[in-house]
Amino acid sequence: MTSFLDPLISFVSAHAWLAYLTLFLAALLEAVPVVGSVIPGSTIILALSALVPGGELQLQWVLLAAALGAVLGDGSAYWIGHRRQREILTAWPLTNYPRVVAESESFFHRFGTWAVFFARFVPPIRAFVPVTAGALGMAPARFYAVNIPAILLWAPAHVLPGVLAVSALHEYAGLHHHGHVGKHIWILTVVGAALGLGVAMWIYRRRNGDGFAKGKPRA
């Protein structure tokens, strides 16, 4: 296992900017309508955050990359909705996902401004509420006043579990004494678990989520 992970750790150490770019893109694409419902952005963020305790990545830059990606992704979706108004909700590709669009609109009407805050933590409508908020005429100042604080909470909520898990495993096993090999095993465990969760979620969505999202009756 360590022979598999050593090149990855070495690559990330030498090209940390690429890992930060991946984090940024994962957070951005997760906020794009339709795309965000299939991109395992949270899984990618969790997996890469496991490299923070070993020093391959820096926590502050991981948090910044994730937060900036989410701000740009949510903001872009909001402005598309703001410019096109309700027309966007009945345009392709959103027409392929009428139930999620309807749920997002219902969520927005139910919680009002706070829908933008809560949706950041609720997939798959996380990728649909910003464009819905814009389409339904939410003012930009109100949107960002709720969206940015939500993202400032969302980023640590997705990054810190991976960081804390690896740090706790290091401490529990006394890996600061046993060194390099043990550290890599635990990082591989967390990364593998995160990727496994992402694959399981993707399979579940393919089997169940697509039919629900596209308006087909659930089994």
Side-chain angles (χ1 to χ4, degrees):
M1 287 191 296
T2 56
S3 61
F4 164 80
L5 193 58
D6 280 340
L8 174 61
I9 300 298
S10 299
F11 181 83
V12 171
S13 298
H15 305 87
W17 66 270
L18 187 57
Y20 296 130
L21 177 62
T22 301
L23 285 161
F24 172 82
L25 292 175
L28 188 154
L29 293 175
E30 192 179 47
V32 175
V34 180
V35 176
S37 63
V38 296
I39 293 293
S42 296
T43 302
I44 295 171
I45 293 169
L46 176 62
L48 288 177
S49 69
L51 300 177
V52 170
E56 289 78 21
L57 298 177
Q58 299 299 312
L59 178 59
Q60 66 271 25
W61 298 117
V62 170
L63 290 170
L64 181 62
L68 288 179
V71 168
L72 183 59
D74 282 359
S76 298
Y78 167 79
W79 282 107
I80 290 173
H82 187 72
R83 288 177 62 87
R84 297 190 60 183
Q85 300 296 302
R86 291 194 64 94
E87 173 192 350
I88 188 65
L89 300 180
T90 56
W92 184 89
L94 296 186
T95 50
N96 292 331
Y97 299 84
R99 290 205 179 202
V100 178
V101 171
E103 281 192 345
S104 299
E105 189 169 349
S106 175
F107 192 80
F108 185 80
H109 285 308
R110 179 180 179 185
F111 294 103
T113 301
W114 285 103
V116 175
F117 184 95
F118 295 137
R120 189 99 274 282
F121 303 89
V122 184
I125 63 172
R126 172 166 54 215
F128 289 84
V129 165
V131 70
T132 301
L136 297 182
M138 187 176 187
R142 290 182 65 192
F143 174 80
Y144 285 109
V146 178
N147 178 247
I148 291 178
I151 288 172
L152 292 179
L153 290 177
W154 168 86
H158 279 64
V159 169
L160 294 182
V163 175
L164 295 175
V166 173
S167 297
L169 290 171
H170 286 182
E171 185 69 23
Y172 175 78
L175 296 179
H176 54 289
H177 294 304
H178 298 294
H180 194 66
V181 174
K183 181 186 75 171
H184 283 190
I185 290 176
W186 284 119
I187 293 177
L188 180 59
T189 299
V190 174
V191 172
L195 295 177
L197 177 61
V199 171
M201 291 177 63
W202 181 83
I203 293 173
Y204 177 81
R205 286 173 177 173
R206 293 287 296 178
R207 291 182 177 178
N208 302 291
D210 286 353
F212 176 68
K214 293 185 178 181
K216 298 177 183 177
R218 284 182 282 185

